[in-house]
Amino acid sequence: SFANNLNSTRQIQFDLLLQMPHLGHLAVCLFLLAALPAFCEELIFRGIMMPIIAKKTGKFWIGLLVQALIFALLHFSMYELLTIFLLGAMLGWVAYTYGLVASMAAHFIFNSTTVIAEYVAQHGSPQAAAVAQNNILPNGALLILGVIIVVFIIARKPWAKP
């Protein structure tokens, strides 16, 4: 099917990118596979789509759920559909509550865990293999930790004027 072919092609490209013989490649992969998608996806789904849908329907939660569903479907992975949907909903809530920059930071933290774990696994740490193989539990735990840290930093707002 079209979705399976697209997902297979995407996985092959990711595998090629994730061949990181030295630290410079890690930086490139963090940019291409963690920072860039986090920025673009948050801007499109949580920055543009969610507010438009919420305004059109008059209900925030409809915008939150619809953008999360479209976000999940456009990742073309039936195996990860529920997980990506929940991630999209959580990032939508973070964007709504704390702003788009907070959701971009949380998304980057989530994406970067797999990239960093793959780099560590390639350089002699077999313990990182579980995270590098798209295991949702370590990634999910790191995402939650990242969101807590981002929310804590934003809630304190030390840079805000009194």
Side-chain angles (χ1 to χ4, degrees), residues 7 19 35 40 55-56 65 73 75-76 85 87 90 92 101 104 109 112 134 162:
N7 193 34
Q19 294 175 5
C40 294
K55 186 175 181 180
K56 293 278 184 191
L65 294 177
L73 291 171
H75 277 79
F76 298 104
F85 171 79
L87 174 65
M90 185 173 161
V101 172
M104 286 176 181
I109 291 167
S112 64
N134 293 325

Side-chain angles (χ1 to χ4, degrees), residues 134-146:
N134 293 325
N135 186 337
I136 192 58
L137 292 177
N139 279 340
L142 287 170
L143 172 68
I144 291 168
L145 177 63

Side-chain angles (χ1 to χ4, degrees), residues 32-87:
L32 292 175
L33 300 175
L36 195 58
F39 174 79
C40 294
E41 290 175 354
E42 290 308 305
L43 186 62
I44 292 166
F45 291 100
R46 269 62 77 181
I48 297 171
M49 186 182 295
M50 187 172 72
I52 289 173
I53 295 168
K55 186 175 181 180
K56 293 278 184 191
T57 63
K59 300 198 180 349
F60 159 73
W61 64 271
I62 293 176
L64 178 84
L65 294 177
V66 170
Q67 68 79 24
L69 179 62
I70 294 170
F71 176 71
L73 291 171
L74 288 178
H75 277 79
F76 298 104
S77 174
M78 292 309 293
Y79 172 71
E80 299 172 317
L81 185 70
L82 179 60
T83 304
I84 296 171
F85 171 79
L86 293 173
L87 174 65

